[in-house]
Each structure stands twice: as structure tokens, then as C-alpha cells.
DNA sequence: ATCCGCCTCCGCCGGACGGGGGAGGGCGGC
DNA sequence: GCCGCCCTCCCCCGTCCGGCGGAGGCGGAT
């Protein structure tokens, strides 16, 4: 169960104190060995290239090149890249998502206790697991809807116009919408006309398309 | 470093062999204790309610109530719920996403080795970390476009009909489509009629909606 | 050789749609 | 009080749309 060769770790963080602390924690474990350190992203890339560690603990915030970019570069240029664990201070950091995209094997908070840190390193070193804090659940459940900026017209619609557009997007005719909203067909026509004007579209089909692409629908 | 009370684990899997294997692996560790087992999702909920374990290893596929639903129920009903690790056989399982949504603390593959299993249990037991295999990266980067199975009508459309539907989804009129495709307006009308028939819709707006919801568009 | 599916077009018709212009009432702000 | 916004509804009219039925050509399958 004890492995012959220890897990080789590189630390990348611009603060010396952090590196020292991490080294102290990891060195206490017989199966872990800190083989190198880096204070910038650029340095991290070259150090990793030279030392070929099994795991890298990578701070997100670093001079010159940040941890995310350094991660991308390492994974893109090395044949058998190390597992990279991205480390940050704040949980709600948007870096969580960036780290995922960059190909990081894990994401750790600096406030994680020593125990969790050590186990995280061991885990990523030899399994294909990813390791992320609770924040990713938010991203996943909110469907990570990276809204590309909702078009201006959305705010300009009145309440009734919104309702009408919703129904249009269900494929209903004006008459059907009128029945559902318990108003006259002429009223619906007015609202539809207003929607077309504000969305800059010429017919209901284009308006529905605009609604879809604006992410205007509730539970799309 | 050794904790006074062991981590209490409950196993939920409908196959006895799997439970036995898991129990064997976990029992070999002095700091882990398997306190109960369940063969169905419903049983899992009640067992967990009674025994209050620290960690639950939950199979996705189980009779009566599947692992995902069982997870939801446990997390919804208990005040201090255990960390739940969802276990499955296939990595590309859509269950990965469901597990995230349900609030699972981790996701493990049955082919994971004993070492990874044990460490995963230890990790989730006392940190707020989530643990997921590489599959989540795909979900995250592909923006988790959970295709709900492309409707049958997609395959039934002829080449021309597809083209026409694409243009319809751009908000073009029949005349415009005719010009772009360099055919007569009557031809386009025929294709549109065919599209409406095959999609089971009554007008172009509904057809476009169907196209959007089917993920029919190229780079939507 | 025949059949069938696909693409191409035709005419006719009723209904839905969208543009234009207008009108009355309610409600809040200046 | 008056103005402005919103919601409600009205008429007219031209256009687009979709349903109906039909037709010819072309190519692959049997």
C-alpha cells in the first residue's frame, strides 16, 4: 500500500509564506515530496517542464502569467502533463469555471485544512477524478448560463408585452393568446405590434427567434 | 492525526456482490466503518435516517427508487444529511449531471481502484469538496447541452426540407428562402408544408420552436 | 419495367397576420 | 390639474401563409 516512489509536487504561488506553509504540510507526509517552487506563472511553466512533477499546486493570482493561463500552457505543451490543482482564496470565484475549462484536475480553497490538502494531492495524483468545491454545483445547477448580455429591448417591454411574447414563443396564434389572457383579439394585436417594434423584428417568427436567442424564456 | 471516532459509512447497491466488495475494501481501513447496507433506494432513505452515517455510497441504478431520487430525498428531509457519493459504471452517464443537481458530494466509477475509493470517502467526509470524474469537464465545457434525445422527425426530413427549416429558423419568408435557394416560391411552399407535416406543427413559428428545442440548429 | 421517393412547379382560396391610424380609461409623477 | 405611460379595443387593407389538389421529371430500388 506504500508506494515506492513518492508523489512529486511543485508549488506555484507568488507569496513566499504560502509556499512555505504548503511545503511544511506536504513534507510531513512520507509519500509526498515537494520538488520545486515557482513565484510566477511563467516560472511555473518552465519549472514544471524541467522537473516533471506528478502534481502542481497552482495559485490563480500570479504576476506575469496567471495560474489559469499557466495551466493551459502546461497541459498544451507537455506530452504527459502533471495533474494541476488550482488554488484560490474565494469560493465564489469565477476562476472555478475557468479552471475547469483550462483542464485543471482540481480546485482547492486556501482555507482548506491540511488534511484535505494532502488527500487532494494523493487523489488527483493517481485517479482520473476531478476535485472541486461546492461552488461548482452552483455553476452546474444554474446551468452556467454565461449570458452574453441580454439585448437592450428586453428591459423596454412592458409586463403585458412580455406575457404576449411568452405565449408567442409557445406557438400560439393571436386568438389563442387573447383567450388565455382573457382580452380581446385586438388587444393582443396591439401588444404583438409593440413587441415587433421593440424587438426590431417584422413578424412573430422573428420575434420568437429573438426571444430564444436572448434567453428570454423562463425555463428554456 | 488518527481520529477518535471512525467515519460511518452506509452502502446502497442492489447487487450483493458489490456491497460485499465495497465492505471488504472499506473495512480494511481502521478509520472507516460500514454501519449499514441497503438494496433499494427506498431502503437507503430509511437506513440513512436511522443510522445517521457520515458518508453514503449510493448506486445510481436501484429498484423502486433510483440513487438520484434517494439522494434528493435524503438531503431534503434530514437536518444534518450525510455526504453522498454517487456510484456508477459508465463515465459518460448522464447521471453525472443529475447527481450534481441532486446535491451529491461526489461521483465515483465502479472501476475506481480501492485506493481512490477509500480516499474519496475520507475526503468527502470532512471537507466541503466535491469529487467528480473527468466527465464533468466535458459537461462543463460543452456547456452541458443535455440533448434530451433528438425527436424522431429530425431523421425523416429530406435534405431540402432541412435547408428550408434552417432558413425558416433565420426568420426568412418563403419568398426570401426561394431567392436564396434559387427555386420558385411554390417549391418552397411545398417544402414548408412537408416540414409542418413531419414536425407535427401548424405554422412556421411552431416549426421554428420545434427546431430550436430539438437542438436542430448547427451552432445554436 | 415499374414503383416510389424526392424535387420542382401550378392555381385557388380562406384565414391569419401586420401596418396604419385612432380612441377611451386608469394610474402615477411633476 | 395635466402629462405620459400602459392597457384596452376599434376599423380598414394589403400581404403572407397554409391547406387543397394536381402534375411532370428524375433517380434508385426491386
Amino acid at each position: 500500500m506504500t508506494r515506492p516512489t513518492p508523489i512529486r509536487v511543485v508549488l506555484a504561488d507568488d507569496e513566499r509564506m504560502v509556499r512555505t506553509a504548503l511545503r511544511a504540510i506536504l513534507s510531513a507526509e512520507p509519500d509526498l515530496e515537494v520538488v520545486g517552487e515557482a513565484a510566477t506563472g511563467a516560472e511555473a511553466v518552465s519549472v514544471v517542464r524541467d522537473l516533471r512533477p506528478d502534481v502542481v499546486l497552482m495559485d490563480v493570482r500570479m504576476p506575469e502569467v496567471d495560474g489559469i493561463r499557466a495551466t493551459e500552457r502546461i497541459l498544451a505543451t507537455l506530452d504527459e502533463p502533471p495533474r494541476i490543482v488550482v488554488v484560490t482564496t474565494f469560493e465564489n470565484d469565477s476562476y472555478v469555471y475557468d479552471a475547469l475549462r483550462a483542464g485543471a484536475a482540481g480546485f482547492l480553497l486556501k482555507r482548506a485544512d491540511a488534511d484535505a490538502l494532502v488527500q487532494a494531492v494523493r487523489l488527483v495524483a493517481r485517479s482520473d477524478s476531478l476535485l472541486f468545491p461546492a461552488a461548482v454545483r452552483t455553476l452546474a445547477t444554474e446551468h452556467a448560463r454565461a449570458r452574453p448580455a441580454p439585448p437592450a429591448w428586453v428591459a423596454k417591454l412592458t409586463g403585458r408585452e412580455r406575457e404576449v411574447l411568452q405565449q408567442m414563443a409557445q406557438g400560439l396564434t393571436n386568438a389563442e393568446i387573447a383567450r388565455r389572457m382573457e382580452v380581446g383579439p385586438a388587444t393582443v394585436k396591439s401588444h404583438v405590434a409593440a413587441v415587433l417594434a421593440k424587438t426590431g423584428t417584422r413578424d412573430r417568427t422573428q420575434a420568437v427567434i429573438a426571444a430564444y436567442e436572448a434567453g428570454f424564456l423562463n425555463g428554456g
Side-chain angles (χ1 to χ4, degrees), chain A residues 204-219:
Chain A
R204 69 202 298 101
T205 304
Q206 287 191 353
V208 169
I209 294 170
Y212 263 84
E213 310 219 310
F216 179 75
L217 283 47
N218 296 339

Side-chain angles (χ1 to χ4, degrees), chain A residues 8-39:
Chain A
R8 293 156 47 80
V9 181
V10 159
L11 310 176
D13 196 307
D14 59 332
E15 295 177 47
R16 176 182 301 275
M17 274 189 54
V18 174
R19 293 203 304 274
T20 306
L22 291 176
R23 181 183 278 273
I25 292 170
L26 298 179
S27 298
E29 306 297 318
D31 59 335
L32 305 182
E33 181 186 3
V34 177
V35 295
E37 295 183 7

Side-chain angles (χ1 to χ4, degrees), chain A residues 75-218:
Chain A
L75 294 178
T77 57
L78 271 64
D79 282 344
E80 292 184 356
R83 303 297 179 128
I84 300 179
V85 176
V86 171
V87 183
T88 190
T89 305
F90 305 108
E91 184 162 338
N92 286 335
D93 231 318
S94 66
Y95 287 127
V96 178
Y97 192 68
D98 295 334
L100 251 180
R101 294 187 60 98
F107 196 93
L108 273 182
L109 302 180
K110 285 190 179 173
R111 77 170 113 88
D113 60 25
D115 220 15
L117 173 64
V118 169
Q119 284 173 16
V121 171
R122 289 193 184 121
L123 189 71
V124 298
R126 77 172 81 73
S127 82
D128 67 345
S129 290
L130 293 167
L131 184 79
F132 282 82
V136 281
R137 183 176 299 136
T138 312
L139 287 176
T141 48
E142 282 185 5
H143 234 266
R145 190 147 307 243
R147 315 235 172 224
W153 57 259
V154 182
K156 298 196 166 186
L157 294 179
T158 69
R160 262 340 209 184
E161 286 157 6
R162 281 171 217 274
E163 292 180 46
V164 169
L165 180 51
Q166 291 280 358
Q167 316 259 339
M168 282 193 275
Q170 312 266 327
L172 302 182
T173 66
N174 289 343
E176 288 168 336
I177 296 173
R179 276 194 289 277
R180 292 205 182 186
M181 291 177 61
E182 293 178 333
V183 295
T187 303
V188 176
K189 285 191 70 173
S190 295
H191 292 317
V192 170
V195 168
L196 296 184
K198 291 182 181 176
T199 54
T201 54
R202 70 178 171 211
D203 56 43
R204 69 202 298 101
T205 304
Q206 287 191 353
V208 169
I209 294 170
Y212 263 84
E213 310 219 310
F216 179 75
L217 283 47
N218 296 339

